[in-house]
Amino acid sequence: MRTGKILTFFFLVFLIGSCSAGKRPTFRIGVDPNWYPLNFEAFQPYVNGFTEDLLLEVSKYAGVDFIKMEANWDSLLDGLHEKEYDAVLTSLPAYQFNQMKYDFSKNFLDLGPVLVIPSNAQLNDLTKLSNEVVGIVMGDPALLVLQKYPEIIVRKYETVPELLKAVVTGSLEGALLDRLVASSFVRDMYAEQLKISTGPLTDVGLRVMGLKGQNEHVIDLFNRTLSQMKKQKKLEALQTKWQL
């Protein structure tokens, strides 16, 4: 902890010195624009547009510049290890074994499943769904969340429209669905009928990641800037702009 504070202190000194000299620190950020192994499908251009805007906003807030370097999924981590970039944008889960090798920022885009319920319902806690029927799409990893609540009856559907129609008609008490997909359907097709009643139920998301113990100041910079943007609702505004 003390080492991290010392590194942050010297990084701030570096920033101040650079700014006073008229130079802005520059960081190289690697990114796979296809976000493998995730498949954003129709959301991909929106995610990429949001990410581009986010880097611009962080640059303004923190007084630094970013060079975004695109790479294929199978060479992205190799490039990080070979120090072609200072950090990468990734969906790699921050599991304990990954944290032994890498430093992770907080999520800049949450992707975990959320609970979708009728717009007139009052429910924001899975523990209150004992003996109720909740639906998911077949193959959705949200099943792992529901397995923690064995008293919930799970029903699987082939498609998202079938799943959400079952919530509207009362066949289901609610549905667990990826946050981006849920937001899109609730915002458009089911604007008057359904709502999202919880935040993401897992920590799945997009993060900034660097090699363990190296360039920690980049991760710290992102975390501090994301906190500021959240307080000022700037992050929420960017997500709304890109329909995320």
Side-chain angles (χ1 to χ4, degrees):
M1 182 66 71
R2 186 175 179 181
T3 301
K5 290 182 179 179
I6 293 173
L7 287 173
T8 299
F9 170 76
F10 281 111
F11 174 59
L12 291 174
V13 171
F14 167 68
L15 280 182
I16 294 170
S18 296
C19 291
S20 63
K23 297 180 180 179
R24 288 160 59 98
T26 300
F27 302 111
R28 300 159 301 163
I29 305 294
V31 58
D32 164 24
N34 295 312
W35 299 101
Y36 182 87
L38 299 182
N39 184 2
F40 285 118
E41 298 180 344
F43 291 103
Q44 183 172 315
Y46 298 94
V47 172
N48 288 339
F50 164 77
T51 302
E52 192 76 34
D53 273 1
L54 178 69
L55 289 176
L56 289 173
E57 287 298 323
V58 174
S59 177
K60 292 177 186 176
Y61 270 77
V64 301
D65 290 321
F66 295 110
I67 299 175
K68 192 177 76 170
M69 305 174 68
E70 294 189 359
N72 293 327
W73 66 269
D74 56 350
S75 62
L76 185 65
L77 293 186
D78 287 341
L80 179 63
H81 283 274
E82 293 169 7
K83 300 184 180 180
E84 294 177 13
Y85 339 109
D86 299 297
V88 298
L89 307 183
T90 184
S91 64
L92 191 70
Y95 297 144
Q96 187 172 2
F97 60 83
N98 284 331
Q99 292 185 37
M100 295 176 66
K101 297 185 291 183
Y102 305 108
D103 291 317
F104 292 86
S105 75
K106 299 174 183 176
N107 286 357
F108 61 81
L109 184 63
D110 292 321
L111 301 174
V114 294
L115 179 63
V116 179
I117 60 174
S119 57
N120 60 355
Q122 299 297 322
L123 181 67
N124 58 11
D125 189 344
L126 293 182
T127 61
K128 298 179 180 178
L129 286 167
S130 179
N131 298 317
E132 300 290 353
V133 184
V134 174
I136 61 171
V137 175
M138 287 186 176
D140 195 316
L143 178 63
L144 297 176
V145 175
L146 291 175
Q147 287 176 345
K148 300 176 183 177
Y149 303 88
E151 67 280 3
I152 294 177
I153 302 168
V154 181
R155 188 173 296 166
K156 300 176 183 179
Y157 290 79
E158 292 282 351
T159 67
V160 173
E162 288 178 310
L163 172 66
L164 296 182
K165 182 178 180 181
V167 179
V168 170
T169 60
S171 299
L172 297 173
E173 194 72 18
L176 257 59
L177 194 58
D178 170 85
R179 190 188 73 80
L180 296 190
V181 177
S183 296
S184 177
F185 275 89
V186 169
R187 181 176 57 246
D188 299 325
M189 189 179 299
Y190 293 102
E192 303 296 326
Q193 298 170 293
L194 298 175
K195 66 181 180 182
I196 295 172
S197 67
T198 68
L201 298 170
T202 70
D203 65 351
V204 175
L206 302 185
R207 303 175 175 88
V208 180
M209 185 183 79
L211 291 176
K212 189 72 176 179
Q214 301 182 35
N215 293 319
E216 292 171 293
H217 50 277
V218 180
I219 306 299
D220 182 61
L221 181 149
F222 263 90
N223 282 338
R224 287 186 287 107
T225 306
L226 286 174
S227 295
Q228 292 176 4
M229 292 179 68
K230 286 180 180 179
K231 288 180 182 178
Q232 298 175 14
K233 297 190 181 300
K234 186 65 179 179
L235 190 64
E236 180 181 338
L238 280 183
Q239 291 176 350
T240 299
K241 172 185 175 181
W242 289 100
Q243 301 180 38
L244 300 175

